[in-house]
Amino acid sequence: EKTQADVQIVSLFSGPVALDEQGKATIPLDIPDFNGELRLMALSFDDDQYGFAEHKVKVAAPVVTQISMPRFLGFGDASTLALDIQNLSGQQQQLTIDLAASEPIKLDSNTASITLDDLQKSTLFFDIQAMNFRDTSTIRLTVSGEQINDFSRQWRLGVRSPYPAVTRRQHQLITQKAPQQWLQSTHSDFHPESMQISLNMTSQPPLNIADQLQGLLRYPYGCLEQTSSRAYPWVYANHPLLKQLPEKPLPLDKRSDSLQKAIQRLSTFQRSNGGFGLWSNTSPEEHWLTVYVSDFLLNAREEGVDVPQTLLDNALQRLTNYTRQRGHFVKQRWSDDANYYSLATKAYASFVLSRVNKAPLSQLRTLYQQEFSAQSPALPLLHIGIALERMGDIKNGSAAIERAITQFKSEFRHRHQYLGDYGSIERDMGMAIHLLIRYAKRDQAAQQLASLLADKLPEKQYLSTQERNALFLAGTSLADVAEQNWTAQLLINKSQQQTLNSG
């Protein structure tokens, strides 16, 4: 945290002036309260020649004062101000010195009387203490005497916290007519003067949708994954949730152009077999990202965006080839678990194909029964479960979805391996919330997962574009099923009562 420094600069300028008959000009300068040395510079010219001159001039009041003080103070710090006073009036002066400081600086004594001969200099000391955490104190000096007109000067001294900022978040799920208490003892180690408390009550868990949205839109790079993730918010630019944000980051008049540019760029990544490369159509094929891009293109088409049919058809055909493969069918150069990468790709591809009724039920059952086990990861389980339900196998589909929900609830931990699917537990949880609401129609399970995710998000110092997009999709889906009308009573210190209403 920076503390503002008080620096005085004197820079005065006069435009062209005419000279009198003797070649002289008078230029008035409104010099501020300043003691020191100024440099005067003048430039003269006519049609044929020019010249310039400069001269140093000392500027001093009859009584010159200067203060020496710390650059800043921290809360609780004590220091001393040194006030230098010099008499330049040409005669002896009896002076009364009054020094005052505004909060948060405390001055122990602030008045003194001194007698100074001509040119004599004296230094007075004043003890000060910082009494608060954050503010800027104005220190005012007033000097008076029999032959001196009262004059004043002022300086500014900043105060800041001596400790780094600490943010603590409490997230609690409130059930109807069940009172909750906050701030009983969890913040007893904070100084009350330094605390800022905000209470946000909403029917949705705090996933910081506005931050996720800004993070996606400002991301500077544009590989296959980043191009798709950055464009995803534009697909849902009409969503009511975005209209509630303080700022409108997605102007509707730019939606079509932004999406068309993204889709055009994605088309340059498509290889001849329908898959996609990371940076161009000559890059090695990215299997999981090929499914991700296909999913994005389907979502865009469902929201009324013009998606080239050939681009989408070729991508979906490539996904069909993925699902027909048995076992460990692809090799991912950077995955620490090639079997997981293959299974995740096929399960995700099966889900995307089920959205357009192109996932044969026999293939889905074979994949689920032969390649999934009790240790299978949660997100692929959810993908295959939704695909099975959509294609008519309610029994197996429901079982897979419930297993996925249970794993998400009981195994909330960070991945310690890179698995090749651009994932993390935060990304997987965000996508699961979106999928459970939009496709699996399990709103309550999604809201429970959202509560778990909201508790863990503050631990993340950095979010990838995959994570931000998953949180964005989760937030829009949660908004679709959120309770719209509610009222709560807020009681502060057992006396101040306030009614909070939704909307």
Side-chain angles (χ1 to χ4, degrees), residues 107-323:
L107 265 170
D108 287 339
S109 61
N110 58 2
T111 302
S113 296
I114 58 173
T115 299
L116 294 178
D117 293 330
D118 184 37
L119 301 181
Q120 185 180 358
K121 179 180 177 181
S122 179
T123 302
L124 304 177
F125 298 95
F126 299 87
D127 293 330
I128 60 172
Q129 186 174 8
M131 304 301 293
N132 207 331
F133 275 88
R134 185 180 300 130
D135 209 341
T136 300
S137 174
T138 299
I139 300 173
R140 294 182 177 87
L141 169 68
T142 302
V143 179
S144 58
E146 293 182 1
Q147 288 83 33
I148 299 294
N149 293 326
D150 291 356
F151 75 93
S152 62
R153 290 196 63 188
Q154 66 179 36
W155 302 268
R156 294 169 66 83
L157 177 57
V159 177
R160 68 186 189 187
S161 173
Y163 312 106
V166 175
T167 301
R168 291 183 184 173
R169 294 182 175 89
Q170 288 182 260
H171 173 249
Q172 292 182 243
L173 183 63
I174 302 176
T175 57
Q176 187 175 8
K177 297 183 180 180
Q180 298 285 344
Q181 291 184 340
W182 289 283
L183 303 179
Q184 296 300 304
S185 60
T186 56
H187 300 79
S188 59
D189 55 337
F190 285 2
H191 288 276
E193 298 88 349
S194 70
M195 290 177 61
Q196 292 183 341
I197 301 173
S198 63
L199 174 65
N200 179 30
M201 296 191 66
T202 175
S203 52
Q204 303 178 61
L207 301 183
N208 300 325
I209 302 304
D211 290 345
Q212 316 313 339
L213 185 57
Q214 291 294 341
L216 288 172
L217 297 178
R218 293 173 180 171
Y219 200 79
Y221 305 113
C223 73
L224 181 66
E225 186 278 326
Q226 294 154 357
T227 299
S228 305
S229 295
R230 287 171 54 192
Y232 243 118
W234 290 103
V235 174
Y236 301 102
N238 283 312
H239 196 281
L241 175 64
L242 303 186
K243 299 177 183 178
Q244 300 173 12
L245 298 179
E247 299 180 0
K248 304 300 183 290
L250 298 174
L252 295 180
D253 59 343
K254 295 183 179 181
R255 177 177 184 261
S256 177
D257 182 61
S258 299
L259 284 171
Q260 290 304 321
K261 287 181 179 178
I263 293 173
Q264 174 60 32
R265 181 170 175 80
L266 291 175
S267 68
T268 66
F269 296 152
Q270 191 170 44
R271 294 161 51 90
S272 59
N273 63 3
F276 291 84
L278 186 61
W279 288 104
S280 71
N281 56 9
T282 61
S283 299
E285 183 175 359
E286 296 289 335
H287 305 88
W288 191 91
L289 283 181
T290 292
V291 188
Y292 181 64
V293 173
S294 303
D295 195 15
F296 164 75
L297 294 175
L298 277 181
N299 285 330
R301 189 178 71 173
E302 287 182 356
E303 295 296 326
V305 181
D306 183 18
V307 178
Q309 193 63 44
T310 301
L311 174 69
L312 183 57
D313 287 345
N314 290 342
L316 294 176
Q317 182 58 48
R318 190 59 179 157
L319 267 55
T320 300
N321 293 337
Y322 292 169
T323 60

